[in-house]
Amino acid sequence: RMVNIASYKFYFIGGVIIALTIVVGGDIPNFVFKVWVLALLFSLLTLIYYVNKLAYRFEIESTEIFAGQRVRIRYKLANLGSFIPANNITFSNTSDEKLRQSEFCEKIYIPANDYYEIKRDLHPKRRGFYKIGKVKVIAKDALGLFYVEKFFEQKDILTVYPNLIELKEFDIPPSDYFGEQTIASLISEDYTSIKRIRKYTQGDPLKKINQRLTAKLGEPYVNEYDSSSKPKLILLADAYTHSYDNDEYSIIEDTLVDTVASISHYALMNKIEVLYIDSTNKHPYFNARDMSSFMPLLKRLAGFEPEGSLPLEKFLLDEAISLSFNSSIVLLTPSLDLNKCRIITALKKRGFDIMPIVFEASDAQEELKRNLRKDNIMPVTIRPKYKKVDDDEN
């Protein structure tokens, strides 16, 4: 931590006083010179003293919220163990570039053994991971001769999950892999064969509670049974960078991720296993077998970034090799084009059943969808709600 000069006027005056003391001499110039030196030392020592007494604390109500929810954060700067006030401070924070609404810069005064608190209500509209909590303090002495910059590195990651849309029904595309299946109906289970026992999660039927283990451990546990049919919903999200070239304010991207999250939630609530794939350069797979896997999947979706370098049609063709024959795939992409439609049709002829979900509505898109319907491929259009996103919000 370095002490910097805030004003050179005082030193100019000091130079004049020293010159007068040398040239003129006498009691008055000498007295003025001593006062100038004492003021210099007083300013420097008091600044160093109270800066060393400053303490910082950052508090956040919750580090995990859903997009659109509010969260209260507090920044506290304390002048503890000091007998002099911190009377010339500029207090500011460094927020995530995607979360401008939390920025502040205030000139503050803190009495001895007191603190100053700044409260902010954040209302992130977009999912993601936001770095918050780091602050910068510029402290000056009472005369404004010196200043010290001090950074407090305490920070947290605020995780904002995608929005969940309540689905009343969702039809998985039919295929020979597990037959035509509407998620609204439950899958048959063999109640004589327990596959495993796990903690209760929201949505589990009460009849599955393991009474003996629940009574013994004091918290609910449920039985999982083997199933005669094991449906799996494959969700493949388009993460090719250029697929989002016309996506102003990332509205289509966010709607696509919200849709993946909502379909996954509904499927898992109804005992349908979910395999999530996206076309990023890492093209990760995430297999969610039940509701206990949903939050890890949601966290993965919160960090979704369309940074893939491979066009969706090529990625889809490559991935189809590793998928089970006759698998059903729900394909989510901002828009269709001739290349995508050609690959979707080719995979249909090879036995795959693909339901494209697109997020752009236009005459050209309608024409492409009509052509797909001729091959018994039923695309779905979801229209995002377009609105201007203010800079101070995200």
Side-chain angles (χ1 to χ4, degrees), residues 26 59 71 73 107 151 210 225 314:
E59 297 176 349
V71 62
I73 58 177
K107 292 187 178 297
F151 294 89
N210 187 308
Y225 302 96
K314 179 169 175 47

Side-chain angles (χ1 to χ4, degrees), residues 315-330:
F315 177 85
L316 182 60
L317 195 59
D318 292 344
E319 289 300 306
I321 299 174
S322 61
L323 296 176
S324 300
F325 182 69
N326 286 342
S327 293
S328 292
I329 303 170
V330 176

Side-chain angles (χ1 to χ4, degrees), residues 14-30 33:
V16 173
I17 294 172
I18 292 173
L20 289 174
T21 303
I22 295 173
V23 176
V24 178
D27 294 337
I28 294 178
N30 286 326
F33 176 70

Side-chain angles (χ1 to χ4, degrees), residues 69-351:
Q69 290 183 339
R70 292 184 181 274
V71 62
R72 170 65 60 89
I73 58 177
R74 295 180 177 87
Y75 303 85
K76 292 183 179 180
L77 187 65
N79 183 22
L80 300 176
S82 173
F83 61 86
I84 60 174
N87 55 5
N88 197 349
I89 288 181
T90 301
F91 188 31
S92 61
N93 72 329
T94 304
S95 67
D96 192 287
E97 62 180 11
K98 296 183 294 183
L99 196 61
R100 298 294 186 189
Q101 59 181 290
S102 66
E103 291 183 350
F104 65 84
C105 182
E106 297 187 15
K107 292 187 178 297
I108 64 174
Y109 167 87
I110 310 176
N113 290 307
D114 205 346
Y115 68 91
Y116 187 89
E117 182 179 75
I118 294 177
K119 298 178 182 179
R120 286 288 187 276
D121 282 335
L122 296 186
H123 190 189
K125 297 295 194 304
R126 292 200 66 206
R127 62 185 169 73
F129 304 103
Y130 300 98
K131 299 175 183 178
I132 55 177
K134 182 180 178 180
V135 298
K136 175 183 176 181
V137 172
I138 300 177
K140 293 183 180 180
D141 60 273
L143 299 179
L145 305 181
F146 304 97
Y147 74 91
V148 172
E149 287 187 354
K150 187 172 184 178
F151 294 89
F152 292 95
E153 297 292 339
Q154 181 189 345
K155 55 190 174 184
D156 282 309
I157 301 295
L158 174 64
T159 301
V160 181
Y161 294 118
N163 279 314
L164 291 180
I165 304 164
E166 184 179 357
L167 300 179
K168 295 182 180 179
E169 186 180 40
F170 181 79
D171 290 331
I172 299 178
S175 78
D176 294 338
Y177 182 54
F178 52 77
E180 184 170 357
Q181 174 67 46
T182 299
I183 293 181
S185 63
L186 295 178
I187 304 304
S188 59
E189 294 178 301
D190 181 4
Y191 290 101
T192 63
S193 177
I194 297 178
K195 182 169 61 176
R196 65 168 179 157
I197 301 175
R198 58 170 175 81
K199 288 185 177 181
Y200 175 87
T201 57
Q202 183 182 1
D204 287 330
L206 297 180
K207 65 180 181 180
K208 289 189 176 183
I209 292 179
N210 187 308
Q211 301 292 344
R212 181 178 298 178
L213 192 59
T214 297
K216 181 178 180 180
L217 298 180
E219 57 180 322
Y221 280 77
V222 295
N223 298 326
E224 279 193 0
Y225 302 96
D226 289 322
S227 176
S228 57
S229 57
K230 296 181 182 293
K232 176 181 289 188
L233 176 60
I234 300 174
L235 297 174
L236 198 156
D238 185 357
Y240 181 47
T241 298
H242 295 301
S243 294
Y244 299 83
D245 285 345
N246 299 321
D247 185 17
E248 190 175 15
Y249 304 118
S250 301
I251 294 175
I252 289 179
E253 176 192 330
D254 290 342
T255 306
L256 184 149
V257 173
D258 292 347
T259 303
V260 173
S262 302
I263 294 174
S264 300
H265 181 263
Y266 191 77
L268 293 171
M269 287 287 287
N270 287 277
K271 314 306 177 191
I272 306 294
E273 187 175 335
V274 173
L275 175 61
Y276 168 72
I277 313 170
D278 63 44
S279 61
T280 57
N281 291 333
K282 297 179 180 178
H283 53 275
Y285 291 79
F286 189 95
N287 198 18
R289 298 181 180 276
D290 50 46
M291 280 303 296
S292 63
S293 306
F294 179 64
M295 291 310 294
L297 172 59
L298 207 60
K299 194 165 188 175
R300 193 173 202 122
L301 292 172
F304 176 88
E305 295 287 347
E307 297 175 344
S309 59
L310 199 64
L312 179 65
E313 58 272 13
K314 179 169 175 47
F315 177 85
L316 182 60
L317 195 59
D318 292 344
E319 289 300 306
I321 299 174
S322 61
L323 296 176
S324 300
F325 182 69
N326 286 342
S327 293
S328 292
I329 303 170
V330 176
L331 176 67
L332 299 99
T333 182
S335 61
L336 295 171
D337 58 33
L338 290 175
N339 289 331
K340 292 177 186 176
C341 291
R342 186 170 62 251
I343 296 302
I344 290 172
T345 301
L347 292 178
K348 173 71 175 180
K349 292 177 179 178
R350 286 169 51 182

Side-chain angles (χ1 to χ4, degrees), residues 2-72:
M2 291 182 60
V3 177
N4 303 284
I5 297 174
S7 174
Y8 287 91
K9 294 179 180 179
F10 186 78
Y11 300 96
F12 176 77
I13 295 172
V16 173
I17 294 172
I18 292 173
L20 289 174
T21 303
I22 295 173
V23 176
V24 178
D27 294 337
I28 294 178
N30 286 326
F31 175 75
V32 174
F33 176 70
K34 291 177 181 178
V35 171
W36 181 84
V37 172
L38 288 174
L40 192 69
L41 292 175
F42 174 80
S43 296
L44 181 61
L45 294 176
T46 54
L47 174 63
I48 294 174
Y49 174 78
Y50 87 71
V51 166
N52 286 328
K53 298 295 183 180
L54 293 177
Y56 170 69
R57 185 174 181 181
F58 172 72
E59 297 176 349
I60 182 169
E61 285 181 338
S62 174
T63 57
E64 297 181 357
I65 62 173
F66 285 87
Q69 290 183 339
R70 292 184 181 274
V71 62
R72 170 65 60 89

